[in-house]
Amino acid sequence: MSQIEGITDLILEVFRLNGALVHAGDGLVADIGLTSARWQVLGAIALTTQPLSVAGIARTMGLSRQAVLRLVKEMIGDGLLRLAENPHHRRARLVLMTVTGEAVYAAAIARHRPWAEGLARDLDRDAIGTATTLLRALRQHLDAARTREVDDD
Amino acid sequence: MSQIEGITDLILEVFRLNGALVHAGDGLVADIGLTSARWQVLGAIALTTQPLSVAGIARTMGLSRQAVLRLVKEMIGDGLLRLAENPHHRRARLVLMTVTGEAVYAAAIARHRPWAEGLARDLDRDAIGTATTLLRALRQHLDAARTREVDDD
DNA sequence: CAATATTTGACAATATGTTGTCAATATGGT
DNA sequence: ACCATATTGACAACATATTGTCAAATATTG
């Protein structure tokens, strides 16, 4: 198989796996009022020491500012998130979890753990690391190309 | 790093890479009237010896029937695809490319080749294979769970 | 053969994500 | 301090994908 076929296969598999993961995640947390996308927003907030703005969350998740903005506004409406003034930037307020948000996120984690265990059980540990490193390299390559794109404008 | 953290990292990287790939693909074929999604539909049709129905394309791509259905109808409207009677199934007609569709797909391939070469250039060949195998195993695991889900209904 | 189950295309509603645009706010260079 | 530039939240338009529902066509089972 040529190098091009190899990378193309990988790309198609990323598309398929992405869909399967979103579906599985949705199913995992549906009854606690979450979706994969909202769960990911909570994760981005939980996993940083410093509170983030909407734009900051977007950068962490690799999504557009606007996609995150809409999710955040909906989640504020649902009582999962709240905004706090940002001493460093009047416009870019900080996104924080409410008590409810924290409880829901904790519940999501509790379900994620055994699910992830089952998924990883018969997979080779090194292969997971190798794959993650490779995917990250690919994405960084693409992101770099994207930056050059914008610079050309 | 625990096995759970490892697989979770991989999952988040799949989400990010998926977005970056869709964006790059869109940019690659935008000016010939394609998008990543439409390009993938053409690819699914091109890569099979036997013509496929809408549902068949969906299975190949790992998407829902309905997602493919809408794409196919739009692409028929744009003159890229056409339907042919299916001797084995009156309802499930076969999706074929028009001459225009074939030309557009050929143009997309011509752009994909050097792009994929550049992407794969400094990546380890074995790592690509390992990653593809791992992602496929993950997806098949998830698809199997999905099948069990449906059986429970 | 008849009853039942599955597959399929169609349509609608909704969730997710992108791009484009704008004004407000920061930031950096001169 | 000033001006050009970049970042940010907001809103709108659109592409993509999922689920739910339905009726038609096919496949399966007793």
Side-chain angles (χ1 to χ4, degrees):
Chain A
M1 186 163 59
S2 80
Q3 191 84 330
I4 292 182
E5 289 173 76
I7 196 86
T8 303
D9 263 20
L10 177 60
I11 289 170
L12 295 178
E13 200 52 52
V14 168
F15 289 155
R16 294 195 195 96
L17 180 55
N18 179 74
L21 284 171
V22 169
H23 177 269
D26 283 350
L28 206 57
V29 293
D31 61 326
I32 52 178
L34 281 185
T35 60
S36 287
R38 288 172 175 223
W39 179 7
Q40 244 193 296
V41 171
L42 293 181
I45 294 170
L47 269 50
T48 51
T49 50
Q50 301 294 342
L52 294 172
S53 64
V54 165
I57 296 174
R59 276 188 296 267
T60 302
M61 295 174 63
L63 289 182
S64 70
R65 239 166 55 239
Q66 283 70 7
V68 174
L69 177 62
R70 191 164 39 72
L71 285 168
V72 165
K73 301 200 122 198
E74 287 173 359
M75 292 169 79
I76 290 173
D78 291 348
L80 297 172
L81 298 179
R82 64 189 176 87
L83 297 177
E85 293 305 319
N86 184 347
H88 300 347
H89 196 308
R90 195 184 332 169
R91 192 180 181 80
R93 282 174 292 174
L94 302 174
V95 183
L96 306 176
M97 288 195 210
T98 61
V99 174
T100 305
E102 280 168 7
V104 167
Y105 182 62
I109 297 220
R111 299 192 178 186
H112 173 69
R113 206 179 351 248
W115 177 85
E117 255 168 22
L119 207 55
R121 182 153 332 181
D122 25 80
L123 298 178
D124 180 57
R125 205 187 183 85
D126 289 345
I128 295 178
T130 304
T132 306
T133 302
L134 180 73
L135 298 194
R136 183 166 296 133
L138 265 175
R139 179 178 56 86
Q140 284 169 348
H141 196 286
L142 293 170
D143 284 351
R146 191 170 192 166
T147 301
R148 281 195 295 279
E149 232 175 70
V150 173
D151 288 349
D152 291 348
D153 290 353
Chain B
M1 185 163 60
S2 82
Q3 190 85 331
I4 292 182
E5 290 173 80
I7 197 86
T8 303
D9 263 19
L10 177 59
I11 289 170
L12 295 178
E13 200 52 52
V14 168
F15 289 154
R16 293 194 196 98
L17 181 55
N18 179 74
L21 285 171
V22 169
H23 177 269
D26 283 351
L28 206 57
V29 294
D31 61 325
I32 51 178
L34 282 184
T35 60
S36 287
R38 289 174 174 220
W39 178 8
Q40 246 193 296
V41 171
L42 293 180
I45 295 171
L47 270 49
T48 52
T49 51
Q50 301 293 345
L52 295 172
S53 64
V54 165
I57 296 174
R59 276 189 295 267
T60 301
M61 294 173 63
L63 288 182
S64 70
R65 239 166 56 239
Q66 284 70 6
V68 174
L69 177 62
R70 192 170 38 73
L71 284 169
V72 166
K73 302 201 120 197
E74 287 174 359
M75 291 169 78
I76 290 173
D78 291 347
L80 297 174
L81 298 179
R82 63 189 177 86
L83 297 177
E85 293 305 319
N86 183 347
H88 300 347
H89 196 309
R90 199 189 324 173
R91 192 179 181 81
R93 282 174 293 175
L94 302 173
V95 183
L96 305 176
M97 287 196 211
T98 61
V99 174
T100 305
E102 281 168 6
V104 167
Y105 183 61
I109 296 219
R111 298 190 179 188
H112 173 69
R113 203 174 357 245
W115 176 85
E117 256 167 21
L119 206 55
R121 182 151 318 150
D122 24 81
L123 298 179
D124 180 57
R125 206 189 184 85
D126 289 345
I128 294 178
T130 305
T132 305
T133 302
L134 180 73
L135 298 195
R136 183 166 295 133
L138 264 175
R139 179 178 56 87
Q140 285 168 347
H141 195 287
L142 292 170
D143 284 350
R146 190 169 192 167
T147 301
R148 281 194 297 279
E149 231 175 70
V150 173
D151 288 348
D152 291 348
D153 289 355

